[in-house]
Amino acid sequence: MSEGASYASAGVDIEAGDRAVELMKEWVAKATRPEVVGGLGGFAGLFDATALTSYRRPLLATSTDGIGTKVAIAQKLDKHDTIGFDLVGMVVDDLVVCGAEPLFMTDYICTGKVVPETIAQIVKGIAEACVEAGTALVGGETAEHPGLLKADEYDVAGAATGVVEADEVLGAERVRAGDVVLAMASSGLHSNGYSLVRHVFFDRAKWTLDREVPELGTTLGEVLLTPTRVYAKHCLELIQELNDGEGRPLHAMSHITGGGFAANLARVIPAELSVRIDRSTWTPAPIFGLVGLLGDVALPELEKTLNMGAGMVAVLDPYAADAAIQALAARDIPAWVCGEVTATPGGTVTLEGAYAK
């Protein structure tokens, strides 16, 4: 008589999931805030909302995202402790552009087979990035999907909630003709465009991740796995420093992700205005040029897919630009004025000139 079916024989290992939770607890405990109630293991994460009573009119902001096919690079390199920065950056930096402070985050990891040590490494990166962003990791879910994903495959997603005063929301309605556009340097590709990047390097150029690339100064894999820069806490501090006075010179921000520089910036430009960006004000990192060269990718295609070296943008009064650049430099974020808002109707963003060599 054959042995009866079980969850384990179907490919789901509950004990491995339990062990993964035990291994990740150390890291989740570091990603906390005073408002967090209870610990890991409940059915829901609890966050004390009493602090919101000090707001005049608090608006809750929420965002969710994943990190796309960059996970394939982590899996090939068997290095899983950095992609948490990609996940957290993609989520909390969408919140901060409206001026919201990210309060708490949850994550979701699905895999073909739970390897506790791998899951713990993923969560370690998420927790460390949450600490850097000033947000709490209040819970998450790990799911085993045998038959849908291979044993060594996984995907990661997350969601976060933040808060902002209603009369302090940043956005298009604050932008004025004559404002300048301030770009903040990215750490590299961040977490967008990897389907194109992988196609260029692996399918067309036939490069391997361990290839030493002189233009990059290291291996291809090292550069492709470079973690996303998490701007949230630094941008909140910048907003507070510049907008504490009556002038409130910082008017809008844009997170440069999928869709590239122009499309994302256009989301915070009113229809009666436009923006002109001068490419000559910065030099994209070599990885961007290599994607274009090896893949014969036209510049417009590159620019609508990749961040081209600028991961976050602020729109502000010209008089505040120097102070903003200095404040960001003190936080190790290079920044520069790259363009201006014009009175031309259309709500468009135009990139002009050539990138500096």
Side-chain angles (χ1 to χ4, degrees):
M1 184 174 181
S2 63
E3 184 177 337
S6 67
Y7 216 7
S9 68
V12 178
D13 188 341
I14 294 176
E15 287 74 20
D18 292 340
R19 174 164 166 71
V21 171
E22 288 302 314
L23 290 176
M24 70 178 70
K25 280 184 176 180
E26 170 191 354
W27 302 107
V28 176
K30 299 177 187 294
T32 190
R33 291 172 53 119
E35 301 93 338
V36 175
V37 177
L40 193 65
F43 285 95
L46 300 177
F47 191 90
D48 186 350
T50 304
L52 300 186
T53 60
S54 64
Y55 284 72
R56 298 181 302 278
R57 185 189 170 200
L59 300 183
L60 293 179
T62 185
S63 177
T64 185
D65 209 339
I67 58 175
T69 60
K70 188 171 183 176
V71 295
I73 308 298
Q75 290 160 20
K76 285 184 177 181
L77 291 175
D78 194 24
K79 181 173 173 54
H80 313 284
D81 62 346
T82 62
I83 59 169
F85 283 82
D86 301 297
L87 178 64
V88 174
M90 290 302 104
V91 175
V92 301
D93 288 340
D94 275 359
L95 291 179
V96 78
V97 298
C98 71
E101 176 188 4
L103 298 175
F104 55 85
M105 182 168 178
T106 57
D107 64 66
Y108 175 78
I109 304 169
C110 60
T111 181
K113 178 179 176 57
V114 170
V115 178
E117 291 75 15
T118 298
I119 300 300
Q121 286 297 295
I122 296 171
V123 175
K124 171 180 180 287
I126 295 172
E128 289 177 335
C130 282
V131 171
E132 187 166 313
T135 190
L137 182 60
V138 297
E141 174 71 9
T142 300
E144 204 165 27
H145 291 171
L148 294 180
L149 294 169
K150 295 178 181 178
D152 59 348
E153 291 180 340
Y154 60 80
D155 197 11
V156 185
T161 298
V163 62
V164 59
E165 284 282 13
D167 60 1
E168 295 178 5
V169 173
L170 303 179
E173 64 278 1
R174 294 181 181 268
V175 176
R176 302 288 182 266
D179 282 353
V180 297
V181 179
L182 188 76
M184 304 177 206
S186 67
S187 58
L189 294 167
H190 283 183
S191 187
N192 300 106
Y194 272 76
S195 293
L196 172 63
V197 170
R198 290 166 56 244
H199 173 65
V200 167
F201 285 117
F202 306 147
D203 299 336
R204 291 178 63 104
K206 307 299 183 184
W207 285 15
T208 57
L209 289 171
D210 61 356
R211 181 186 180 109
E212 291 282 348
V213 184
E215 296 94 326
L216 304 179
T218 185
T219 64
L220 176 64
E222 187 75 19
V223 171
L224 295 189
L225 203 58
T226 299
T228 296
R229 172 169 272 151
V230 179
Y231 299 93
K233 191 173 183 179
H234 306 301
C235 285
L236 283 174
E237 292 170 351
L238 179 66
I239 294 167
Q240 292 167 359
E241 287 182 27
L242 296 183
N243 283 9
D244 271 353
E246 294 182 3
R248 295 187 178 180
L250 204 162
H251 299 150
M253 303 186 82
S254 178
H255 188 197
I256 309 303
T257 57
F261 195 111
N264 281 288
L265 180 55
R267 295 164 69 178
V268 295
I269 303 302
E272 66 272 16
L273 302 175
S274 290
V275 171
R276 184 169 60 248
I277 300 297
D278 182 0
R279 294 188 184 98
S280 70
T281 57
W282 81 96
T283 304
I287 187 65
F288 298 101
L290 277 175
V291 174
L293 178 65
L294 294 176
D296 193 24
V297 183
L299 182 59
E301 183 69 18
L302 276 181
E303 291 180 331
K304 75 177 185 180
T305 308
L306 307 177
N307 67 60
M308 300 305 290
M312 183 71 77
V313 170
V315 182
L316 66 167
D317 273 329
Y319 79 83
D322 286 344
I325 291 171
Q326 292 173 14
L328 290 166
R331 294 166 172 82
D332 295 322
I333 300 177
W336 63 95
V337 172
C338 67
E340 62 179 346
V341 180
T342 70
T344 307
T348 60
V349 176
T350 305
L351 280 73
E352 302 177 349
Y355 291 108
K357 298 296 185 180

